[in-house]
Amino acid sequence: MLITNVWYIAEWSENVTDKPVKARMLGRDFVLFRDPAGKAHCLSNTCCHRGASLSQGKCQEDGTVSCPFHGWRFNAEGRCTTIPSAANPAGDIPAAAKVDSYPTEERHGFIWVFLGDRPEEAHPLFDMPENTDPAWRKVTFTDTWKANIHWMKMVDLDQVHLHIVHGIPLNEENPSRPSAHAVEQLPNGFRTHIVSRPPPRGGSWGQLRQERAEVNSYLTFYVPGFTLYGKVEIAKGFSNVFYSMSTPIDEENTKLYLIAFRNFMLEPDKDKDHLDRNLRNVYQDKAIAENHFPKRAPDVPEWPVINVDREDLLMQTYWRLMRQLRGKGWQVDRLRLDELDRNGDHRVIPSPGRRADPANWVYGTVPLVAGGQ
Ligand code: FES
Ligand SMILES: [Fe+2]
């Protein structure tokens, strides 16, 4: 179940310099490049001329990216501006000499790309206030999981696994049972606040906490980047904040972008411990998610099938949201797309420019599941 019309992270900003970069998302390839002013752009990677990979080309001084095969140049809007072999290279450009161009935003150290043709209906990008606040120290991490995006999110949103998988006791009476919590809807996701009363813990972080203190956890799911934001109190006023962001490479592989912040032990030599504490959980989650079955699921209107009180509130809200996005007609029809791919009928994610002018495109668009279901 892959969803279009969402802002996804395409790459870390620092990895896109003066050379085009390929990014695979939603089972399609895209090229990222910068113009001389430094603005990042994203086009469909497949050249409309003979199908070469634009990411093997070059960033040109006129702000275009040139194809590695015959040197056609494409601007930020995806329009071909130059055909080197033509009698008049900058004139007589065929109407179909264009590729899809997608909106980009550079924020929080990432290049965000809106993969769809309805940016006016986008769930808005979120702020990351810790990123510019010197009170917070940051560590980052990237990984690729052999798991579909929903399994990656499930090990983020699930409550009971915190104790079972990570050994984090939730409450003294029953360490596996989450405290009561309510979910609040947001324009771009949903959030909850959970108060737990875990038994005291040891270790350098555990010592910060007073005996039997309540622990406040704030969790927010944002549609952009399929992001789980978490703020977990380590002690009064001290928190570990993380943003766990997911980009679907395809149906069975997902990229993880993680940023974690802390507002205590700010010395740089504490970074490794901070990252290791977060990664310990990440790798435990990865082992669960990569072995989940079915590999390409879920793609059903009802999920999960069995619900138990408290543990599933966030997952139920997540799936309700997925069903809404599917109902808008934004879900890729993977069965039909698989068949088209097998038959050599190359399809791309629809872009805003294509919606504005549907004529003269070399490649068709990926089939989508009809809305309203
Ligand atoms: S294949 Fe790209 S210019 Fe010919
Ligand atoms: Fe987890």
Side-chain angles (χ1 to χ4, degrees), residues 183-255:
V183 178
E184 181 194 347
Q185 300 294 327
L186 302 174
N188 57 353
F190 55 85
R191 71 177 165 207
T192 190
H193 169 205
I194 303 177
V195 183
S196 50
R197 291 170 193 79
R201 300 187 89 190
S204 62
W205 284 23
Q207 283 162 15
L208 292 171
R209 184 181 298 160
Q210 288 177 340
E211 293 245 322
R212 311 249 179 295
E214 287 185 343
V215 173
N216 288 284
S217 301
Y218 300 87
L219 297 171
T220 305
F221 174 78
Y222 294 113
V223 174
F226 273 61
T227 301
L228 181 72
Y229 158 89
K231 181 176 183 182
V232 180
E233 258 184 357
I234 304 304
K236 263 271 153 308
F238 297 148
S239 297
N240 178 47
V241 165
F242 61 85
Y243 292 81
S244 169
M245 294 159 277
S246 307
T247 301
I249 298 169
D250 55 28
E251 291 275 359
E252 299 184 16
N253 297 280
T254 307
K255 193 118 179 208

Side-chain angles (χ1 to χ4, degrees), residues 172-187:
E172 213 154 18
E173 321 76 67
N174 180 347
S176 304
R177 181 166 168 80
S179 309
H181 54 285
V183 178
E184 181 194 347
Q185 300 294 327
L186 302 174

Side-chain angles (χ1 to χ4, degrees), residues 225-287:
F226 273 61
T227 301
L228 181 72
Y229 158 89
K231 181 176 183 182
V232 180
E233 258 184 357
I234 304 304
K236 263 271 153 308
F238 297 148
S239 297
N240 178 47
V241 165
F242 61 85
Y243 292 81
S244 169
M245 294 159 277
S246 307
T247 301
I249 298 169
D250 55 28
E251 291 275 359
E252 299 184 16
N253 297 280
T254 307
K255 193 118 179 208
L256 165 72
Y257 295 93
L258 179 79
I259 300 186
F261 297 93
R262 66 182 188 277
N263 63 348
F264 58 96
M265 298 182 179
L266 294 177
E267 304 79 12
D269 66 357
K270 301 288 195 305
D271 286 355
K272 186 172 181 314
D273 183 44
H274 183 202
L275 185 59
D276 286 349
R277 282 171 181 270
N278 281 279
L279 292 192
R280 184 179 145 269
N281 296 341
V282 167
Y283 283 118
Q284 288 168 339
D285 286 338
K286 183 180 182 180

Side-chain angles (χ1 to χ4, degrees), residues 47-52 54 67-72 74:
C47 183
C48 54
H49 181 218
R50 299 280 187 271
L54 295 177
C67 179
F69 200 8
H70 310 103
W72 289 22
F74 296 90

Side-chain angles (χ1 to χ4, degrees), residues 1 301 322-329 331 368-373:
M1 182 178 187
M322 291 305 117
R323 284 196 293 278
Q324 279 170 14
L325 302 183
R326 173 191 171 102
K328 286 171 180 278
Q331 183 187 336
L368 299 168
V369 174
Q373 40 177 306

Side-chain angles (χ1 to χ4, degrees), residues 350-361:
S351 65
R354 182 186 285 260
R355 191 165 138 234
D357 177 10
N360 300 310
W361 294 88

